[in-house]
Amino acid sequence: MEVHGTVYYETQRPPEVPAYVKNHGLLPQHELQTLLRKAKLFIGFGFPYEGPAPLEAIANGCIYLQPKFHPPHSSLNHEFFRGKPTSREVSSQHPYAEQYIGRPHVMTVDYNNSQEFDTAIREIMSTKVEPYLPYEYTCEGMLERVHAYIQHQDFCTPDAPFPPANSSSSKLGLSSPASPGPQFVLLPNSSALTWAPNANTPPAWPPLSSLRLLASQEGQSCVEACQRANLVCEPALFRFVNNKEALRGLEVQCEVVEAEVNHVFPAFSVLRRECGLQKDPLLYSCAGLSPKYRRLCPCRDYRRGQVALCRDCL
């Protein structure tokens, strides 16, 4: 295979580019698209994160090979994220391509494992793929998404507090003892809870019918916990699971329940039997994790090819 590059230079070839690379310099968009259509493999070197180039390559018929990060890159171990107010962990150069496109268009391997890398290259050499553009990146998919956002959300009225103030005598969000039944019920053949069909359903978007409440493992973020169940974490639904009803539904044993300002809450400690609810709604986080706590994760289902929308969102 020939190796081509598009490394920018003004007067002379950059010394960092090996001699065997056919470097085209900075290409106009139409010339880059032409080059991608002639190529079979597009290689990611680990940076930049989540850029558009891999998606353009896949849409032009390339297979995208990218590095898997062990451990995932985050503000704890990588200079790019250091000091940034985020707990997010990035598992590969383009997590969206890894999770929602996948093989045969995307291969994510450990670049430090020469045997795994070699096997991936040989597989790519013998694999033929057609150009692929996820539906959510088409004009129609974008318009569908914008339509759903505009039709189902009221940007002029703030979300009502939940639980409603007159349904609880507790500052921690207990539903009224006179309520007709539990707010959450166990899904058949699952460890996840869903909103009870006979419970009072407040207006919400995404709708509460899409909610799947899970408990993460210790040291696991809600992003990962939801992904393992083939779901996505939905920050907008945190306010409906930040209460004792959710803890009760998951059969959590709490000797102490406190409301705190902590980005991993709502969560609970099995060892200490301590439970924490979120005091500041601005700190609801899908990415937060702690080795001391199991988190309450508001996951939701999603439409294939339109991850931003749940199945009942249209």
Side-chain angles (χ1 to χ4, degrees):
M1 298 175 76
E2 294 180 347
V3 181
H4 293 250
T6 56
V7 180
Y8 172 74
Y9 64 93
E10 290 184 355
T11 57
Q12 61 183 8
R13 182 187 181 93
E16 297 85 2
V17 180
Y20 57 80
V21 175
K22 295 187 176 183
N23 188 35
H24 299 265
L26 186 63
L27 290 180
Q29 184 68 9
H30 70 280
E31 292 185 24
L32 176 62
Q33 300 289 337
T34 300
L35 181 62
L36 289 173
R37 282 194 289 272
K38 294 178 180 178
K40 181 177 183 65
L41 170 62
F42 187 84
I43 300 179
F45 288 138
F47 192 85
Y49 302 111
E50 301 173 303
L55 298 172
E56 292 181 342
I58 295 165
N60 281 286
C62 294
I63 294 175
Y64 173 49
L65 180 67
Q66 66 166 343
K68 179 180 285 292
F69 301 144
H70 295 296
H73 290 180
S74 71
S75 59
L76 299 178
N77 61 16
H78 203 270
E79 194 60 38
F80 178 81
F81 295 106
R82 200 176 309 280
K84 294 182 170 67
T86 176
S87 299
R88 188 182 179 213
E89 294 185 329
V90 180
S91 60
S92 61
Q93 183 175 350
H94 207 294
Y96 171 87
E98 175 188 8
Q99 183 179 358
Y100 298 113
I101 299 179
R103 290 173 178 261
H105 302 280
V106 179
M107 294 192 183
T108 306
V109 301
D110 181 1
Y111 279 16
N112 293 316
N113 186 326
S114 57
Q115 182 176 357
E116 183 180 349
F117 188 89
D118 183 70
T119 301
I121 294 293
R122 293 179 185 278
E123 183 179 343
I124 289 168
M125 293 288 287
S126 61
T127 301
K128 180 176 176 58
V129 299
E130 295 296 324
Y132 174 69
L133 183 65
Y135 175 70
E136 51 203 331
Y137 282 95
T138 65
C139 293
E140 182 181 356
M142 183 273 291
L143 290 172
E144 179 183 82
R145 197 160 57 250
V146 171
H147 169 79
Y149 289 158
I150 293 173
Q151 291 297 313
H152 298 289
Q153 296 183 100
D154 183 352
F155 298 101
C156 299
T157 305
D159 291 330
F162 184 85
N166 59 3
S167 73
S168 173
S169 59
S170 168
K171 293 186 291 184
L172 296 177
L174 264 172
S175 64
S176 169
S179 59
Q183 289 176 344
F184 302 96
V185 294
L186 191 66
L187 281 168
N189 304 316
S190 173
S191 59
L193 302 179
T194 189
W195 195 263
N198 60 344
N200 181 34
T201 304
W205 199 85
L208 285 171
S209 60
S210 68
L211 173 63
R212 303 290 183 267
L213 174 58
L214 293 173
S216 75
Q217 298 301 315
E218 286 92 347
Q220 185 182 52
S221 70
C222 285
V223 171
E224 183 181 355
C226 295
Q227 282 180 355
R228 288 181 178 271
N230 199 29
L231 301 165
V232 294
C233 181
E234 178 52 68
L237 297 177
F238 263 113
R239 65 193 184 101
F240 298 106
V241 304
N242 186 45
N243 50 59
K244 288 185 178 180
E245 284 289 347
L247 293 166
R248 238 193 314 267
L250 291 169
E251 298 183 348
V252 178
Q253 302 297 318
C254 302
E255 292 184 1
V256 178
V257 181
E258 294 182 350
E260 296 184 18
V261 177
N262 188 321
H263 74 294
V264 302
F265 286 174
F268 61 94
S269 169
V270 176
L271 186 64
R272 298 193 300 271
R273 293 194 172 190
E274 294 177 355
C275 301
L277 301 179
Q278 182 57 255
K279 193 174 183 179
D280 186 351
L282 293 176
L283 289 183
Y284 287 141
S285 167
C286 287
L289 56 87
S290 168
K292 300 178 182 179
Y293 288 102
R294 298 183 64 182
R295 302 198 56 205
L296 271 62
C297 299
C299 310
R300 65 161 170 83
D301 56 31
Y302 60 89
R303 303 175 71 86
R304 183 171 177 80
Q306 189 72 286
V307 179
L309 300 180
C310 66
R311 293 171 188 165
D312 295 334
C313 282
L314 291 177

